[in-house]
């Protein structure tokens, strides 16, 4: 970045906008440290350098008949938001289950956008799971084996599963999914690393 307020070190972020919107590029960044806390100092006309995208974490690798399961932890929702936006724009009707774990309802980014997506995508079922909200009336607790078994009971064991979130959460979810009969080669994880 060419800003006096922010260092030039590289940081990986996932594109949250749809690839069908070439005039816009959106990133959603949760403040998790000193560097991300400085992003608020960016000014109009500051220069940023973007490299990528990288990887194959996309629903476009599969036919529209392929059932999808998306499991996100916190800000790990961003690549799934991009996919869901594109699916809505292309009227993709595949069965898609989104399990999204957050600490509290206040940690849900862009709740209105997800309500709109749920209305647009008839095959989309969203389940919010809160890990630190004792007053929350919906699903609470970690995505452990028993919770995944119950929440994914209506899903095909041959569904493509996309997982993104904290590394320990992704590792645990992957082990639980394999033990529940989901196909190891159909579980894909997005890691935010350089």
């Amino acid at each position: 970045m060419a800003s006096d307020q922010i260092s030039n070190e590289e940081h990986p972020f996932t594109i949250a906008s749809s690839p069908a919107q070439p005039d816009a590029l959106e990133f959603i960044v949760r403040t998790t440290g000193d560097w991300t806390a400085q992003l608020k100092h960016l000014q109009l006309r500051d220069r940023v350098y973007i490299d990528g995208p990288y990887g194959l974490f996309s629903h476009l690798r599969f036919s529209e008949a392929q059932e999808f399961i998306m499991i996100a932890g916190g800000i790990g929702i961003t690549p799934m938001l991009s996919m869901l936006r594109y699916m809505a724009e292309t009227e993709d009707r595949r069965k898609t289950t989104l399990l999204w774990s957050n600490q509290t309802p206040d940690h849900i980014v862009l709740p209105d956008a997800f309500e709109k997506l749920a209305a647009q995508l008839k095959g989309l079922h969203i389940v919010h799971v809160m890990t630190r909200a004792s007053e929350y009336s919906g699903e609470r607790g970690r995505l452990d084996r028993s919770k995944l078994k119950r929440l994914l009971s209506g899903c095909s064991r041959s569904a493509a599963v996309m997982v993104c979130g904290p590394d320990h959460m992704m590792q645990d979810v992957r082990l639980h999914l394999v033990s529940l009969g989901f196909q190891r080669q159909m579980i894909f994880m997005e890691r935010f690393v350089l």
Side-chain angles (χ1 to χ4, degrees):
M1 293 196 182
S3 171
D4 295 336
Q5 305 296 321
I6 303 171
S7 75
N8 284 335
E9 62 188 83
E10 291 184 35
H11 286 265
F13 298 110
T14 299
I15 297 170
S17 50
S18 166
Q21 302 296 321
D23 59 336
L25 188 61
E26 179 181 13
F27 298 92
I28 300 170
V29 180
R30 177 159 283 149
T31 302
T32 58
D34 294 342
W35 193 87
T36 52
Q38 297 305 310
L39 290 177
K40 65 185 174 197
H41 298 296
L42 280 175
Q43 299 292 318
L44 193 61
R45 302 204 190 291
D46 279 352
R47 185 173 301 224
V48 298
Y49 301 95
I50 299 172
D51 189 22
Y54 296 102
L56 298 171
F57 195 74
S58 173
H59 72 290
L60 295 175
R61 297 173 59 192
F62 305 96
S63 76
E64 287 189 23
Q66 178 69 52
E67 179 180 346
F68 261 80
I69 298 170
M70 299 175 170
I71 302 175
I75 202 66
I77 194 65
T78 54
M80 293 157 195
L81 176 56
S82 176
M83 287 184 258
L84 291 169
R85 284 173 164 169
Y86 186 72
M87 290 168 70
E89 290 166 351
T90 59
E91 299 181 4
D92 191 318
R93 302 202 187 287
R94 80 180 79 208
K95 179 180 178 183
T96 304
T97 301
L98 170 62
L99 304 183
W100 187 7
S101 177
N102 279 288
Q103 292 179 11
T104 69
D106 290 338
H107 286 86
I108 297 172
V109 296
L110 302 176
D112 294 340
F114 283 93
E115 284 182 28
K116 182 179 175 184
L117 286 167
Q120 289 176 302
L121 291 166
K122 300 304 179 200
L124 176 61
H125 175 65
I126 301 174
V127 179
H128 291 282
V129 181
M130 302 300 145
T131 60
R132 295 185 186 168
S134 57
E135 302 299 317
Y136 183 67
S137 62
E139 291 290 337
R140 292 188 314 226
R142 301 262 179 226
L143 290 173
D144 58 16
R145 186 181 189 280
S146 63
K147 190 178 301 312
L148 289 168
K149 181 179 181 180
R150 181 171 48 80
L151 295 176
L152 300 176
S153 63
C155 297
S156 169
R157 294 308 187 248
S158 61
V161 184
M162 311 298 250
V163 185
C164 187
D167 197 54
H168 66 278
M169 171 254 186
M170 291 195 301
Q171 295 301 330
D172 289 349
V173 164
R174 186 172 196 272
L175 290 172
H176 297 321
L177 290 172
V178 170
S179 76
L180 292 170
F182 288 91
Q183 299 175 17
R184 184 182 307 270
Q185 70 274 17
M186 293 297 285
I187 302 170
F188 305 93
M189 296 190 290
E190 171 81 338
R191 290 189 171 85
F192 298 117
V193 295
L194 294 174

